[in-house]
Amino acid sequence: MPTTRMPGVRYRGLTARDLALIAVFAALIAVLSVSGQIAVPLSPVPITLQTLGIMLAPALLGWKRGALAVAVFLALGLAGLPLFAGGVGGLAVLAGPSAGFIVSWIPAALVIGLLTDLLTRGGRYRFWAGLGVNIVGGILVVYAVGVPWMGVAMGDGLLGLFTAMAVYLPGDLAKAVAAALIAAAVYRAYPVPPAGRPVIEEDAAATGGDA
């Protein structure tokens, strides 16, 4: 969703609309996480659509709301709701093979959100640039943490790397493309203000001489 910023205006805090968007996208990530799971041979981590939600939330909501949506989803899963891959939940997942991917999601959302905010300062979301952002945040950041952790959990780092590249990467690239296509369509159709309440800043150059 485009963030139509006005010159001389800063946005602080969160509004009721922001909280509603955070809740909606946390629920969306949860739905994507538990639907259509595909078991992967030689790996305990199934293929799911949850990475699509991790990419979409910050791409559409910006870094603050997007990262908070991911954080809410993680909090619900770690509290015990069966929202993670394989239909599991609770703190025990942090000792499992998918823990690295779970830990990487908030940094990934921050990277995607911050880069998307820079990308859309002119009011437009370009598909190819957005795809690059999704690949950097949603694949490179996630894999940098998740793949080594999965390799250690599986007892073979090379096997974890091979599994990620051969099995997960094609699907994650497809999800990056889908997230960029959805974001581009939404940005064209429905501009939404930035997160927070607008605060008009005084021009220091104009007021400094009157102090």
Side-chain angles (χ1 to χ4, degrees):
M1 297 178 184
T3 52
T4 53
R5 297 180 179 272
M6 296 178 291
V9 177
R10 294 188 65 184
Y11 294 83
R12 297 176 181 172
L14 292 171
T15 65
R17 178 189 58 223
D18 296 328
L19 296 177
L21 287 171
I22 290 168
V24 167
F25 274 79
L28 174 63
I29 298 171
V31 170
L32 292 173
S33 296
V34 299
S35 61
Q37 299 189 19
I38 302 174
V40 177
L42 303 178
S43 174
V45 181
I47 295 174
T48 71
L49 292 174
Q50 59 194 5
T51 312
L52 176 60
I54 302 301
M55 295 178 191
L56 277 177
L60 297 180
L61 301 182
W63 70 269
K64 183 188 294 184
R65 290 176 297 200
L68 285 173
V70 174
V72 169
F73 165 75
L74 290 177
L76 293 173
L78 294 175
L81 295 180
L83 300 179
F84 299 129
V88 299
L91 294 174
V93 300
L94 296 180
S98 63
F101 296 106
I102 293 171
V103 169
S104 73
W105 288 339
I106 290 182
L110 289 172
V111 169
I112 293 172
L114 289 169
L115 292 178
T116 302
D117 286 349
L118 291 174
L119 169 65
T120 58
R121 282 189 174 179
R124 293 183 59 192
Y125 183 99
R126 293 174 175 83
F127 167 78
W128 289 108
L131 175 59
V133 167
N134 291 339
I135 290 173
V136 170
I139 296 179
L140 295 182
V141 172
V142 171
Y143 280 34
V145 181
V147 171
W149 200 319
M150 185 175 69
V152 170
M154 295 172 65
D156 189 334
L158 290 177
L159 179 59
L161 177 60
F162 173 78
T163 302
M165 297 299 292
V167 179
Y168 299 112
L169 184 57
D172 286 334
L173 287 172
K175 284 177 273 188
V177 171
L181 287 172
I182 293 170
V186 172
Y187 271 77
R188 288 194 300 268
Y190 186 51
V192 170
R197 296 177 296 275
V199 177
I200 299 177
E201 297 180 317
E202 294 182 356
D203 187 347
T207 60
D210 297 332

